[in-house]
Amino acid sequence: MPKDFISVADWSADDLLRMLERAQQLRRLHRADKRPQTLQGRTLAMYFEKPSLRTHVTFEAGMAQLGGHAVLLRPEQVGIGTRETPRDVALNLSRWVDGIMARTFSHDLVCELAKHATIPIINGLTDLLHPCQAMADLQTIAGVMNPRQATLAYVGDGNNVAHSLILLAAVLGMRIRVATPASHRPDLGVMSQAEDLGAESGAEIFWTDDPLAAVKGVDFIYTDTWTSMGQEDEAEQRREIFARYQVNQGLIEHAPDARLMHCLPAHRGEEITGELLDGPRSLVYEQAENRLHSQKAVLEAVMLTSSAP
Ligand code: CP
Ligand code: NVA
């Protein structure tokens, strides 16, 4: 098994499905007020360069509920790249704690930390990927139907959330349709990696710039903000580019049974109407809940197999 959880594409379908099964079990246990203490005495360092509600709270609460502890590190305290190098930060933390969860702008920084750390690194979102979100989304889809029989449409920006969903579908052999403007397609490297993985797994991946073609008859429609963290200066321009990609009543009429997904935070009235986000077909709070359980499964998977330096 890989040391780190940086991309779902580093993991096999069997590994991801085992994590899903454990996440489902952990959710049942949690709801029955049972808290298995599998990470007793272990510590996770959490490093955030960007804001967070869900990722921060679910990792911190998740560690505590499994009997462990989490330490929050802010970039201004640590000074990666200014006060000290990523290598020194990784080597120091490896002597004290059992894992690092990092949310960074640069994807390369997370890879650099992983290269030098002897402890596992978990990607809590980079500009390129958001694998923990994809695992919670998998658990949410599995709560409705067999993910391998589901068809999911992603509509909007070809961003980090889209990338991890696409790679997840590619590893697991799912059906995914991705509708983005031609100017904001997913990253070319991610598209080609997904094509390669999909050829092995039997995944059906369809790229289009037409939201209607993507959503027709699907089981799930997923969207994310048009302006990701760090792109705030482009918000105005992005609202124009993505206007025809809004998930609204007119669009979902082409998928009468579809459930609606969004990683949150949402901009109601932009990428999705408030009526739909808060309506009966929305799964957004299931997704948010499953962040807790699916990340506990990830934490166990990487921490219980790693060895001390
Ligand atoms: N979905 C998600 O990652 O939320 P946060 O940015 O609040 O962590
Ligand atoms: N694409 C969004 C996801 C937030 C959880 C961002 O990167 O800001």
Side-chain angles (χ1 to χ4, degrees), residues 17-185:
L17 291 172
R18 256 194 302 277
M19 276 189 239
L20 166 63
E21 208 173 303
R22 177 61 176 157
Q24 290 169 320
Q25 186 184 37
L26 286 165
R27 174 171 157 144
R28 284 192 296 274
L29 288 168
H30 186 80
R31 286 183 163 221
D33 206 20
K34 298 207 168 83
R35 313 279 163 102
Q37 301 290 289
T38 49
L39 297 184
Q40 198 162 26
R42 300 200 190 228
T43 306
L44 177 74
M46 304 186 297
Y47 175 75
F48 284 96
E49 287 181 352
K50 302 187 186 190
S52 171
L53 172 67
R54 281 149 289 272
T55 307
H56 178 179
V57 175
T58 51
F59 269 108
E60 186 157 344
M63 281 302 295
Q65 290 163 11
L66 292 171
H69 180 69
V71 181
L72 178 65
L73 301 173
R74 289 283 176 197
E76 61 274 17
Q77 303 170 324
V78 184
I80 298 185
T82 51
R83 193 163 180 268
E84 53 191 319
T85 61
R87 180 175 178 272
D88 275 351
V89 172
L91 289 173
N92 276 271
L93 288 171
S94 297
R95 299 290 175 126
W96 307 320
V97 300
D98 304 284
I100 303 169
M101 189 282 300
R103 167 169 287 195
T104 62
F105 289 91
S106 153
H107 188 71
D108 288 348
L109 175 55
V110 164
C111 297
E112 180 80 1
L113 291 171
K115 184 174 135 196
H116 297 294
T118 56
I119 53 174
I121 305 292
I122 298 173
N123 179 354
L125 181 148
T126 64
D127 285 347
L128 188 69
L129 298 175
H130 197 1
C132 294
Q133 183 66 51
M135 292 306 288
D137 298 337
L138 174 65
Q139 186 174 359
T140 305
I141 291 168
V144 177
M145 66 189 289
N146 180 343
R148 280 172 149 156
Q149 278 156 17
T151 305
L152 181 141
Y154 178 90
V155 179
D157 187 18
N159 64 13
N160 45 11
V161 167
H163 292 156
S164 285
L165 267 181
I166 292 163
L167 292 171
L168 182 80
V171 174
L172 293 183
M174 293 166 63
R175 284 192 292 268
I176 186 164
R177 303 186 200 154
V178 183
T180 64
S183 56
H184 291 74
R185 285 207 182 104

